[in-house]
Every structure is written in C-alpha cells, then in structure tokens.
C-alpha cells in the first residue's frame, strides 16, 4: 500500500509540472478562463469598442482575432494593412482581454486564387474548388506556402512580442474541404512520398501486393491517386494515400509553426483547433505532437451526426461522450488542452438544428472544466448578419447588444468558475481512487485507416467500437489518456491499458505489451487485434498467430451475422446477444475462459478469455455485443478483480476531477444521483442532478 501512495505522489508531481501551465493569464486568475471569437471585419468600426468592452464586462478573459481575415490583412498582393487589427488589439488591451491571434491561411484572398488557381484542391469528382470556400487550398503547395509564409511573418513581426497576444492558432480545423485533395500537385507529392517510403518500385509492388490483379508498376510516375470514384481496389494503396494525406496535413501545420517560432516570443504558444475526428481519418493529432505547444479542439455537441444517448432530451443535451473523448484525446498530445470553439447555442448547419435544453450550454462549460481544460472559447461573440452562418447563435443576439440564452449561460458559468477558482487549493495530487483506475488507450491512427479501408462486414464501424469501450470506461469514472506505441507503457501511471481492434502490430509492440503485463499491467485487447503487420498484410501464419502466446489462445476463425440475425454469448451467469463479429478461440492450458457462445454450431466455444502473465493479465474480448452491456460487464469485472475503485454511472452521466473538485454533469434525460459521500462538501448544485445539470463537490 505504501508503495502505491508513493507512486501516486510521484504522479502528482509530474502532473503539477504539466498542469501548472496557465495558458491564458487572465486578469482574475480563473482556473479556466473563458473567451469569445470576435471578427472585427464583420462589424462597423464604430461598434468595436462597445463590443470589446462588453466582452470584458461580461467576464470573458480573452478574445480571438483574424482567423479568416487574409483579404483584409493583405487586400492586394504585397500590400499589408495591420492598422485596423492594431486598433482592435489595443482595445482588447484597454479592457484587459488577452488575444489568441490566428494565421489566416484557410481563406486565401481572391487576388491569390485568381493568380494561382493551381493551389486550389480538387475533389474526387475532378472539380477544382473555387474561390468562396475555405480550407480550399493545399497547405503543402510551395506557391501557396510562399504567400502563407509572407503573411505569417508579417503578422509575427507585428504581434510576436505583444504581451496582449497569449498565443497563436494555426489555420482552422485542419483538413481539406472534401477530405482529400486529388489535384495534379498531390499526385506528384504522393509519388514522391511513396518513393521516399519504398525507395524502389519493386518494394512498393511488394508492399502493395501489386501482383494481385496485375496492379504492378514499372515506375513511380505511373501511380495514380486512389480515387474512390475511379474504383481503385487496392487496400494498401488506399491506406498509403490516407497516411500520405495525414503526413501532408501535419507537415503544413509544421511549416506554419516553424515560420512563427522563428519570429515570436517564447511566451506566446502555438496551437491549432482540431475537429470532427470521426469524419477526418487523415487528421492525426499525434502527427503534430512535436510541432504544437498543445492541441486544442472544437466542440459542436448538437451536431446531428454525433453519437447521442437515448432519451427524449438527448438531442437538446448533446453528445457529452464526444466532448469527453475529444478533450481527452487532445489533452493526451501534450498533457493539457482547451476548447477553442464551443457552440454558444443553436447552430445552423446540422441536418436539423435543435435548441439546446436551457442549462445545457452551462453544463458543457462545466464538463470541460471537469475534464481539466485550460480554457474554453466560444464561436462566436456576435451572431453574423451575413455570410454562410447567418443563423448561428452568438453570445449576442443579432442586434449586438442583447445577450442570447446561451450567452446568459456563458456569463453564469464564468461567474461560477471564477468564484470557485478563488477558493481552490489547486491541488496537485490525484485522488488514490482515480489513480487506481487510470487507463491508457493505445492509439494508432493508421489502424483506423486500415480498419475503415477493409471493414469486412457492412456492420463494422471502428468509431463505434472505440466509443463503446471509451463510453463504458467513463461509466466507471475512468480517466483516460491516449498514448502511442512509442510512449512509455508505465504500469504505475496506467494500471490498465486498452487497445481496441488493434489490427496492425509488430514484434516490438507485442514484446512491449508482454513486459507491461509482466510488470503488473492489465491489457485489454479485442477482436481483430494483431491480424496484420504494419503494411496491412496478413501474417504468413495462422489467424492472429503472433498474439496467441500473449492472449493465451489460438484464434480459430471469426464469424459475422446479417444485421437482422442474432446469436448469444454466455458470460458471468447471463446471456448477451451479438451479431457484428464473433471470434472463436481455443484457449491454451492455464487460460481462464470467461465467456462462451451459447448457440450456433460452435455452441460452447470460448470468445472471452483471461491469461495471467507475471504480475498482470491480458484479457481478450472476441465478440461485439448488440447493446454493449456485455462490454460494460466485462470491464467492470476486470477492474474490480484488480482492486480498482470504480464508479457505477449511467451512460452519459460523467464524473471528472480537477484541482481538488469533483464535477458531475448529466446528459441523460432523467435525474441522476451523483456519487457524493456524506463527508463531501457540495459547492455547486445538488446531489440529485437534473438533465442538463451540474454538481461540484470536494
Ligand atoms: C466550425 C468552424 C467555425 C465555424 C463553426 C460554425 O466547425 O471552425 O469557423 O464555421 O464551425 O459552427
């Protein structure tokens, strides 16, 4: 026990170092300063002072400028105008607001796209995107980079030593409009990238299995972009194109951050606002780990395409799971994060756009607080009167002076957080119960690319698989850190590690997993793990054979059912239905059988097993249940039998801890009792948390 306390104190110190970072030194020293985007170029200059003063008066600590303002900063080629932005920065300073300054790279001005249309991306239909869209250029195009470098250098010279500017946002939600760029420029780049990776065309032919269907090339110059509309059916080419695109997006960010770093003060940080992970498989936050001071992220919880809980209020409360996942993934890049854009109310671009439930906006801010975010910023202060997002709510109604309902909730949350910040002890230690359940989620974007390229059943959904485990871990109040294969598999920091559907592996990883488990770690693997090498080839071996020894079983085969069929698994005294995927396992002596099929021709065949190894154990979950209760039950059993102190929360009721405070938020449609003990002191809210409610205790 003593060793345990010592280890969590050590972790406490590590965290103190990381979490003592204040990204925005706001005047009132809030634990989580809150900011709002302001686009001066959208408003009459006569209103700037009124608006900026109001931002400050409402309690916001910072604002956000210039993200898409290239046409105003460089109205004609080589003619720069920073005077208007200078006046805005001076106003921010006058009212004690900090500023996040942005590179305006997502929206090149008309003179540039007219002069160099070749910088514009091409969609998979072969159309070149025209001026008028944003994120319509390829950030690696050297012609475009010439202009980007010039404007960024000018901005950096102008604002790089200003104490008003706390940091910089590169670009906006990095990705290409349309997901991939099929331009002739990219074709050349992709060929170069391949040459660099494979050196010879023979190596590429081998890696792509090009002997299959006479796909072999004589030369790199023959290689086309694997455009889905052109029916390229080679999975390795497709995965490499995704990898190339992810590298290119990361390289474009690196290009900008290097330009800035050479010019700005070391007191100013550099980030970008990542978004929509699920829809952008070629945007990999970890690929930018060395180039950013931290990763921030954007959050539109009422987007109709996200994962929602069930219940009649669900589409008004939003997807708390997405906020949680997004924040924990972004935080994992450098140890801390903030939300760069949080919707302030109704949006205007969903398939439909529901009003948030009164209270929901405030709850999202508190959820972000609980997750340890260093700041929250909202898009945007004023609702625009023109342009593409006219019906997007702001903190202000369209008149510019009336607070919107979401604006009111922002103001409330800001006040509440400031009050609590005054009382905070800024504790660095992590409570022992949190440490006991702390979990690493092993993340490799290339696995996602591979799994989504070869789904194997129309019912396969990689994100749903990840979310199932993520969400069920959150019902136990588990803090999750996403880590990479190259990171330290630290048993003390992460007594549990999960690697769902970890398809591509190599020997090094298997040995690293083994060591982690022997040292006392608890490793959870699921279906499809270890099926392929890092080229996405099957092993010249039996199915998943490289991980047999690790999991303690032979994987005989996998089965899949049609969407309307159902079969059953027996686990811990109960039956659970499944139909997407079911592995059939032949455990080796010593491996414990936890779950078996209860029907089909393979009735009695194991699919859930536990193999003890050294001081720890490996758990293999070879089945995907229908309503996800099975996964929840298995996880609970694993954590409980290893003495983790876990909670038992309903789905979408989250409990987080930061700076000495516990925070619970309720995205369900029912009131829920928070796990508050008699000796705890409630500082905000009530133990029974209504839908959209918040309770904070210590
Ligand atoms: C975000 C984007 C913002 C704005 C917002 C509207 O995805 O980064 O610039 O368009 O959506 O909700």
């Amino acid at each position: 026990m003593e060793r345990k306390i010592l280890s969590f104190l050590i972790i406490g110190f590590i965290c103190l170092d990381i979490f003592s970072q204040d990204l925005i030194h706001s005047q009132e020293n809030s634990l989580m300063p809150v900011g709002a985007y302001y686009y001066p170029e959208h408003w009459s200059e006569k209103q700037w002072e009124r608006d900026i003063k109001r931002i400050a008066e409402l309690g916001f600590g910072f604002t956000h400028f210039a993200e898409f303002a290239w046409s105003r900063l460089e109205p004609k080629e080589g003619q720069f105008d920073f005077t208007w932005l200078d006046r805005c920065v001076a106003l921010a300073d006058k009212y004690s607001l900090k500023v996040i300054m942005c590179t305006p790279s997502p929206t090149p001005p008309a003179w540039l796209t007219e002069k160099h249309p070749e910088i514009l991306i091409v969609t998979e239909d072969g159309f070149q995107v025209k001026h008028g869209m944003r994120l319509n250029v390829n950030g690696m195009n050297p012609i475009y980079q010439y202009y980007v470098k010039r404007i960024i250098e000018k901005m950096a010279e102008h604002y790089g030593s200003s104490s008003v500017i706390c940091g910089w946002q590169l670009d906006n939600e990095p990705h290409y409009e349309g997901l991939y760029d099929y331009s002739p420029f990219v074709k050349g780049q992709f060929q170069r990238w391949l040459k660099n990776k494979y050196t010879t065309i023979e190596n590429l032919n081998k890696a792509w299995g090009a002997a299959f269907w006479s796909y072999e090339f004589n030369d790199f110059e023959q290689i086309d972009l694997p455009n889905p509309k052109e029916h390229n059916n080679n999975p390795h080419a497709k995965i490499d194109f995704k990898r190339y695109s992810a590298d290119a997006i990361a390289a474009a960010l690196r290009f900008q951050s290097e330009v800035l770093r050479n010019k700005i003060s070391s007191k100013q940080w550099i980030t970008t606002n990542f978004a929509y992970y699920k829809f952008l498989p070629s945007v990999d936050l970890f690929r930018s780990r060395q180039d950013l001071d931290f990763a921030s992220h954007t959050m539109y919880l009422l987007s109709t395409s996200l994962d929602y809980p069930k219940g009649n209020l669900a589409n008004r409360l939003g997807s708390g799971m997405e906020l949680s996942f997004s924040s924990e993934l972004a935080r994992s890049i450098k140890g801390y994060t903030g939300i760069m854009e949080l919707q302030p109310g109704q949006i205007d671009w969903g398939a439909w756009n529901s009003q948030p439930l009164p209270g929901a906006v405030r709850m999202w801010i508190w959820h972000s607080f609980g997750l340890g975010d260093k700041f929250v910023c909202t898009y945007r202060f004023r609702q625009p009167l023109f342009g593409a997002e006219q019906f997007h709510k702001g903190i202000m109604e369209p008149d510019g002076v009336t607070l919107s309902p979401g604006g009111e909730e922002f103001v409330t949350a800001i006040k509440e957080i400031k009050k609590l910040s005054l009382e905070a002890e800024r504790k660095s230690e992590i409570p022992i119960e949190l440490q006991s359940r702390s979990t690493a989620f092993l993340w490799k974007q290339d696995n996602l690319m591979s799994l989504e390229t070869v789904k194997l059943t129309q019912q396969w959904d990689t994100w749903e698989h990840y979310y199932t485990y993520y969400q069920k871990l959150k019902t136990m109040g588990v803090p999750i850190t996403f880590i990479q294969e190259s990171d330290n598999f630290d048993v003390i920091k992460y007594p549990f590690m999960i690697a769902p559907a970890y398809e591509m592996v190599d020997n090094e990883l298997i040995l690293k997993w083994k060591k982690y488990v022997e040292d006392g770690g608890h490793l959870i693997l699921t279906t499809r793990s270890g099926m392929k090498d890092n080229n996405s080839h099957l092993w010249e071996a039996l199915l998943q054979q490289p991980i047999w020894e690790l999991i303690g079983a032979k994987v005989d085969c996998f089965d899949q059912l049609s969407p309307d069929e159902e079969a059953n698994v027996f686990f811990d005294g109960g039956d659970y239905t499944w139909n997407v995927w079911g592995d059939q396992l032949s455990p080796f002596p010593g491996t414990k059988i936890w779950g078996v099929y209860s029907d089909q021709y393979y009735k009695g065949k194991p699919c859930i097993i536990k193999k003890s190894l050294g001081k720890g154990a490996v758990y293999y979950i070879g089945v995907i249940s229908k309503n996800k209760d099975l996964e929840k039950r298995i996880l609970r059993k694993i954590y409980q039998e290893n003495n983790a102190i876990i909670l038992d929360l309903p789905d979408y009721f989250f409990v987080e801890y930061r700076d000495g405070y516990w925070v619970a938020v309720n995205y369900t449609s029912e009131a829920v009792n928070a796990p508050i003990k008699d000796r705890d002191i409630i500082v905000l809210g009530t133990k029974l948390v209504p839908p959209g409610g918040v309770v904070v205790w210590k």
Side-chain angles (χ1 to χ4, degrees):
M1 192 61 182
E2 253 174 43
R3 266 189 49 201
K4 242 191 169 166
I5 293 177
L6 185 69
S7 57
F8 95 81
L9 281 178
I10 294 169
I11 290 161
F13 280 120
I14 298 166
C15 291
L16 176 67
D17 184 32
I18 294 171
F19 290 105
S20 61
Q21 287 265 7
D22 270 337
L23 296 174
I24 294 162
H25 300 275
S26 68
Q27 214 191 11
E28 292 171 60
N29 204 17
S30 172
L31 277 174
M32 190 181 78
V34 179
Y37 278 44
Y38 189 67
Y39 294 93
E41 64 276 22
H42 296 181
W43 310 106
S44 148
E45 181 157 359
K46 290 196 203 96
Q47 296 179 342
W48 290 355
E49 179 149 12
R50 180 198 72 188
D51 289 349
I52 290 173
K53 182 165 174 250
R54 192 79 194 279
I55 295 177
E57 280 170 357
L58 291 173
F60 291 93
F62 64 99
T63 182
H64 180 280
F65 287 154
E67 191 187 36
F68 302 119
W70 198 338
S71 66
R72 289 291 173 97
L73 293 168
E74 191 180 1
K76 290 199 178 132
E77 181 172 357
Q79 290 181 18
F80 297 93
D81 179 9
F82 291 105
T83 52
W84 63 273
L85 191 53
D86 287 347
R87 292 198 288 282
C88 292
V89 171
L91 283 172
D93 192 26
K94 180 170 170 189
Y95 294 102
S96 301
L97 292 173
K98 294 289 172 195
V99 171
I100 297 178
M101 190 57 83
C102 303
T103 65
S105 49
T107 45
W111 56 259
L112 178 50
T113 51
E114 181 194 28
K115 186 171 173 190
H116 291 295
E118 68 275 26
I119 64 173
L120 293 163
I121 60 169
V122 173
T123 65
E124 61 185 29
D125 305 299
F127 291 113
Q128 189 165 58
V129 174
K130 295 285 176 283
H131 188 71
M133 184 30 91
R134 58 179 170 179
L135 296 158
N136 54 355
V137 270
N138 191 299
M140 285 307 284
N141 189 307
I143 300 170
Y144 170 71
Q145 284 188 335
Y146 165 81
Y147 293 95
V148 167
K149 181 164 186 263
R150 196 169 63 172
I151 183 118
I152 296 180
E153 279 178 346
K154 293 275 178 211
M155 290 181 83
E157 280 156 17
H158 221 80
Y159 302 113
S161 54
S162 161
S163 59
V164 186
I165 315 297
C166 49
W168 295 74
Q169 175 193 308
L170 307 178
D171 212 70
N172 169 60
E173 295 183 336
H175 69 282
Y176 305 121
E177 192 60 49
L179 277 193
Y180 296 99
D181 179 5
Y182 296 92
S183 64
F185 166 74
V186 165
K187 184 170 162 183
Q189 290 288 102
F190 183 47
Q191 291 171 349
R192 248 188 300 282
W193 184 90
L194 291 169
K195 205 167 188 170
N196 194 31
K197 179 168 179 184
Y198 295 112
T199 329
T200 68
I201 198 69
E202 290 74 28
N203 290 342
L204 174 133
N205 281 330
K206 206 166 156 211
W208 281 12
F212 200 82
W213 291 351
S214 249
Y215 189 51
E216 284 166 311
F217 298 96
N218 313 96
D219 212 295
F220 285 95
E221 277 71 51
Q222 292 170 327
I223 300 172
D224 265 323
L225 300 177
N227 184 330
K229 290 271 160 77
E230 290 166 1
H231 301 287
N232 181 317
N233 209 9
N234 182 293
H236 314 289
K238 290 188 204 172
I239 295 167
D240 263 351
F241 184 52
K242 290 179 183 173
R243 286 172 159 146
Y244 153 77
S245 301
D247 283 352
I249 287 168
L253 290 171
R254 185 171 315 126
F255 175 81
Q256 290 201 25
S257 92
E258 282 170 3
V259 173
L260 265 183
R261 280 224 201 275
N262 286 331
K263 300 264 175 191
I264 61 172
S265 140
S266 59
K267 292 195 181 122
Q268 296 178 346
W269 41 255
I270 300 176
T271 188
T272 190
N273 55 345
F274 290 105
Y276 312 115
Y277 306 151
K278 191 154 92 182
F279 306 104
L280 305 174
S282 282
V283 182
D284 178 7
L285 282 66
F286 281 102
R287 276 175 163 85
S288 293
R289 203 179 212 181
Q290 307 310 325
D291 308 310
L292 303 174
D293 291 306
F294 65 95
S296 72
H297 63 120
T298 69
M299 253 304 120
Y300 293 87
L301 291 89
L302 292 189
S303 158
T304 35
S305 42
L306 299 180
D307 171 281
Y308 284 96
K310 295 191 179 69
N312 60 330
L313 298 175
N315 66 341
R316 302 199 182 286
L317 293 168
S319 177
M321 203 273 293
E322 302 264 356
L323 188 151
S324 179
F325 188 100
S326 181
S327 173
E328 291 201 300
L329 181 60
R331 182 181 66 207
S332 300
I333 304 304
K334 286 287 190 171
Y336 45 90
T337 187
I339 300 188
M340 196 58 92
E341 297 174 31
L342 178 65
Q343 80 180 85
Q346 189 181 33
I347 55 171
D348 68 345
W349 47 261
W352 60 87
N353 299 296
S354 306
Q355 288 289 346
L357 190 74
V361 172
R362 168 179 170 265
M363 173 179 72
W364 301 333
I365 301 169
W366 273 106
H367 192 186
S368 167
F369 176 89
L371 284 157
D373 288 353
K374 294 288 164 192
F375 63 84
V376 163
C377 189
T378 184
Y379 175 91
R380 47 187 283 160
F381 184 63
R382 289 186 63 177
Q383 176 167 344
L385 305 183
F386 46 68
E389 290 167 352
Q390 282 175 304
F391 291 91
H392 196 291
K393 281 287 188 185
I395 294 298
M396 291 295 171
E397 296 288 7
D399 65 0
V401 291
T402 308
L403 267 179
S404 66
E408 303 261 12
E409 292 189 25
F410 259 89
V411 173
T412 304
I414 290 170
K415 280 195 195 132
E416 289 169 341
I417 290 169
K418 278 188 186 163
K419 183 160 174 271
L420 180 138
S421 302
L422 289 176
E423 297 157 8
E425 294 160 43
R426 296 203 181 221
K427 282 195 185 164
S428 58
E429 304 99 44
I430 301 173
I432 200 151
E433 58 175 289
L434 266 190
Q435 175 51 31
S436 78
R437 56 188 188 240
S438 166
T439 300
F441 191 122
L442 192 63
W443 185 263
K444 176 155 76 178
Q445 190 91 9
D446 296 35
N447 270 330
L448 176 65
M449 296 172 185
S450 174
L451 292 164
E452 285 297 293
T453 302
V454 185
K455 285 174 175 275
L456 280 168
T457 153
Q458 65 172 50
Q459 294 200 83
W460 179 265
D461 181 336
T462 313
W463 276 103
E464 193 181 320
H465 194 65
Y466 292 165
Y467 282 173
T468 297
Y469 284 97
Y470 181 84
Q471 170 66 29
K472 297 305 175 192
L473 289 172
K474 294 315 277 186
T475 66
M476 306 194 296
V478 167
I480 296 169
T481 305
F482 292 83
I483 65 167
Q484 299 265 281
E485 279 174 27
S486 53
D487 289 336
N488 190 3
F489 290 4
D490 185 337
V491 177
I492 293 174
K493 213 165 163 188
Y494 313 115
F496 299 90
M497 183 187 302
I498 186 154
Y502 211 90
E503 190 179 51
M504 297 192 289
V505 300
D506 59 17
N507 255 338
E508 208 181 315
L509 172 63
I510 294 168
L511 289 175
K512 209 167 163 180
W513 270 339
K514 193 166 168 241
K515 168 103 185 25
Y516 166 77
V517 176
E518 283 167 350
D519 289 350
H522 303 284
L523 174 66
I524 302 158
L525 298 176
T526 74
T527 51
R528 299 186 80 153
S529 292
M531 267 188 173
K532 293 182 171 182
D533 67 16
N534 278 319
N535 265 336
S536 192
H537 285 206
L538 292 182
W539 299 101
E540 192 164 3
L542 297 176
L543 183 66
Q544 290 164 271
Q545 193 167 4
I547 62 162
W548 287 3
E549 194 199 326
L550 183 73
I551 66 171
K554 173 174 183 278
V555 185
D556 298 329
C557 64
F558 56 85
D559 194 18
Q560 300 164 355
L561 304 178
S562 73
D564 34 57
E565 276 174 291
E566 274 178 9
N568 292 289
V569 175
F570 186 76
F571 168 78
D572 241 12
D575 257 333
Y576 299 83
T577 54
W578 71 275
N579 76 356
V580 176
W581 194 286
D583 289 327
Q584 295 174 30
L585 309 176
S586 293
F588 302 145
T591 300
K592 283 208 175 111
I593 297 171
W594 274 19
V596 297
Y597 294 105
S598 35
D599 49 27
Q600 305 293 319
Y601 73 87
Y602 40 83
K603 183 173 174 188
K605 190 84 182 156
C607 54
I608 307 160
I609 52 174
K610 171 188 173 183
K611 151 103 183 171
S612 298
L613 192 66
K615 293 190 229 153
V618 184
Y619 304 83
Y620 186 86
I621 307 169
V623 66
I624 299 178
S625 80
K626 269 206 112 164
N627 70 7
K628 317 303 179 204
D629 267 0
L630 174 64
E631 285 82 347
K632 178 171 176 171
R633 291 286 304 278
I634 299 170
L635 289 172
R636 293 190 68 79
K637 183 169 162 132
I638 295 173
Y639 280 64
Q640 269 161 342
E641 72 167 33
N642 293 299
N643 305 320
I645 309 160
I646 56 172
L647 302 175
D648 190 5
L649 308 169
D651 286 338
Y652 292 90
F653 185 88
F654 297 90
V655 173
E656 301 292 345
Y657 173 88
R658 88 173 276 172
D659 289 303
Y661 293 107
W662 293 92
V663 179
V665 286
N666 185 3
Y667 290 81
T668 79
S669 298
E670 315 292 331
V672 174
N673 264 312
I676 303 176
K677 298 177 202 91
D678 289 344
R679 60 167 193 274
D680 295 332
I681 304 164
I682 294 180
V683 293
L684 186 81
T686 50
K687 184 177 162 97
L688 185 65
V689 189
V694 177
V695 60
V696 182
W697 71 98
K698 54 183 186 179

